[in-house]
Amino acid sequence: MSSGLVQTPPTKAHEDGPMSVKDSNTFVAKYIPDFGYRVKDFTSFCWPVNSWGKLQRRLISPEFECGGHKWHILLFPFGNSNTPPHDTVSLYLVRADNQKSPKDWHACAQFAIAISNPHDPTLFTVSHAYHRFNAGAPDWGFTKFGELPKLFTVQEGQTRPTVENESAEITVFVRVLDDPTGVLWHNFVGYDSKKETGYVGLTNKGAVKSFLNYVLQSLYCTNYFRKAVYQIPKEGDNPSERLVLDLQHLFYNLQTSDRSVGTDQFIRSFGWTSADDLLQADPEEFQRVLFYKLEPKLEGPIKKMFVGKMKSYIRCIDVNFESSRVEEFDSLQLRVKGMKNLYESFKDYVAVDILDGENKYPVQGHGLQDAKKGITFQSFPSVLNIQLRRFEYDISCDAMVALNDRFELPSEIDMEEFLDEGADRSSPWVYKLHGVLARSSYRNGHYFAAFIKPGKDKKWLKFDDDHVTPVTDKEVLEDNFGGERYGEVLQGKQVSVIKKVVIAYLLVYIRESAMDEVFCPISEEDIPEHLNNRRDKTEMQAKAKRREVQDLGINPKSPEQELNVALLVQDMSLETQRSKDEAQKLEAANKTMPTPQDELQAENERLMRELKELKAELERERMGRVQS
């Protein structure tokens, strides 16, 4: 749910029966939706307003308290607009004493404001909203709450007007909610993921890559694997070594950067260079291919952390014969359709089939025999990756369709009962949930979001591409079970209730007895020297580019503008270097042709024009902010 306004059309009580503004509990139950968050405090406040036609342009109600904050109602009786017609009422809820409060204060509140007849509280007009009140946005409400002509006249089905004899009562109902994660309804302007969570996101240029980001973030948060990647020695810069080097750089940047990190270079080194490669990929395949490419360098760590063993068998019932095959696996695909939860899916996976009748199993020397066919596990990996079979082929539309059935995920599961009789049981096989990739489907499309618990005793985090935010256990578990759910979506100034489905797609469970090893500490000594050297070089280049930008007289006002300017300066440097390289090649080949200085000068002039245009645009934005 995004932060901001959720406004309903003004509601007349007579449409739904005689409900009174004075009946707070019933009124709030109808007009303020329950979002499922714990209510920290609730209050209602009534403000009588008389002599409406003689009111000032702007009025403030007396203060009242709720949730440890002081509030008041802000009324524009003839509308909050400098241009006619002045035929609307504007109403806002304002957090008082904003100037005297700490800069980092915030309050998450739902509220409803009603204008009612002073003699008949069942005649009213109401709108509701929710908002994250803070120092930058201490007020919220309705610029067009209601039309004055309708408030002052008797409407169809009423016996008197809402505002009668120029008098009315304005009542506000405020519900302050608990914000356990600190980011409820946050607009993320100026949000610092590294400061708030200790982690940064991965930039995403398209929805296709978002699930790949989940795999990379999940592997990064597996400290044992990250440490093993760091320990791969640098042996050159050829294509076969490039993937390892770029993965090291990617992990290093995630560890040291204060901003989100790009993945384009790593994806190119991985070998997926076209849109088709990404469109046809899925996260399980991505991780499997990545492990295959890294196996020559990381065979031991990969097998130790991510690989288990299963045994497929056919065991005769009446004779002493068994045929079996042991295979390694790094992920499991479990059925969802017809299953209530993950435990039932595992029971289904190891369910025994009876081979009898026409399906009897042929055994040399014994003929056709009744037999049992099934699977048992000899071992599970420390990091158990599970893909839920949420998609199946629909013959009617000749396409794969999502299964949105409700499917419950346990935060803990004991895998011992699924082990083979001869498996090692010296340590418990209890697993804790530490990763979920969820797919959210709405009317206009879908997107992926990753939930990762990056340590033994750490809280859950949501890795939503650029942003990393804390989340509650409910958001990770219950909200991703699937099944039909409905949510409110703001469209213009109206609220539409649409069907939405959020389903868990990939899961990561970590063996409890192996957590100290999986989440082993990573020190500065574990980071290769060539990564630290590269960082020092990059910082020096960044400082040089900032000086070049300052020399051009440009003062970017945001990280995005600074990045745009830096890229332009970088383009100039690249063009200059590229021209120098071409000139050297031509001279070495003794080719008699003009030097590219003219072309270089023209290109630099073009880039300088772009820089001047950007400078002018920044100046216009600054003047616009001053005037506003």
Side-chain angles (χ1 to χ4, degrees), residues 261-332:
V261 176
T263 59
D264 287 350
Q265 181 58 46
F266 171 78
I267 293 297
R268 284 194 293 270
S269 298
F270 185 77
W272 285 353
T273 57
S274 69
D276 289 340
D277 290 333
L278 291 169
L279 285 170
Q280 295 172 9
D282 65 63
E284 187 185 35
E285 178 195 3
F286 173 68
Q287 180 165 302
R288 184 181 298 113
V289 175
L290 177 61
F291 283 173
Y292 174 78
K293 290 175 178 280
L294 295 175
E295 197 168 27
K297 305 285 185 180
L298 289 174
E299 182 177 7
I302 288 175
K303 285 195 172 184
K304 183 175 182 178
M305 279 290 115
F306 301 98
V307 177
K309 291 182 179 181
M310 66 171 68
K311 182 176 77 171
S312 304
Y313 67 86
I314 297 177
R315 187 178 300 135
C316 292
I317 297 174
D318 299 319
V319 297
N320 186 21
F321 178 84
E322 178 180 305
S323 173
S324 63
R325 181 177 71 250
V326 176
E327 298 175 291
E328 293 183 338
F329 68 92
D330 54 25
S331 68
L332 296 173

Side-chain angles (χ1 to χ4, degrees), residues 166-187:
E166 298 206 349
S167 296
E169 290 185 343
I170 300 177
T171 306
V172 61
F173 304 85
V174 182
R175 178 193 286 163
V176 176
L177 304 177
D178 188 26
D179 182 12
T181 64
V183 294
L184 180 61
W185 302 334
H186 204 302
N187 62 10

Side-chain angles (χ1 to χ4, degrees), residues 47-52 55-61 72-80 88-94 113 115 142 145-146 148 151 163 168-170:
W47 180 29
V49 177
N50 301 307
S51 303
W52 195 290
L55 294 176
Q56 298 178 3
R57 179 181 177 274
R58 181 179 184 273
L59 287 89
I60 297 176
S61 75
H72 57 243
I73 302 169
L74 175 60
L75 167 66
F76 292 84
F78 309 105
N80 183 19
T88 60
V89 177
S90 300
L91 279 167
Y92 306 90
L93 177 64
V94 182
I113 302 179
I115 298 180
F142 315 97
F145 177 87
L148 280 173
L151 292 172
V163 181
E169 290 185 343
I170 300 177

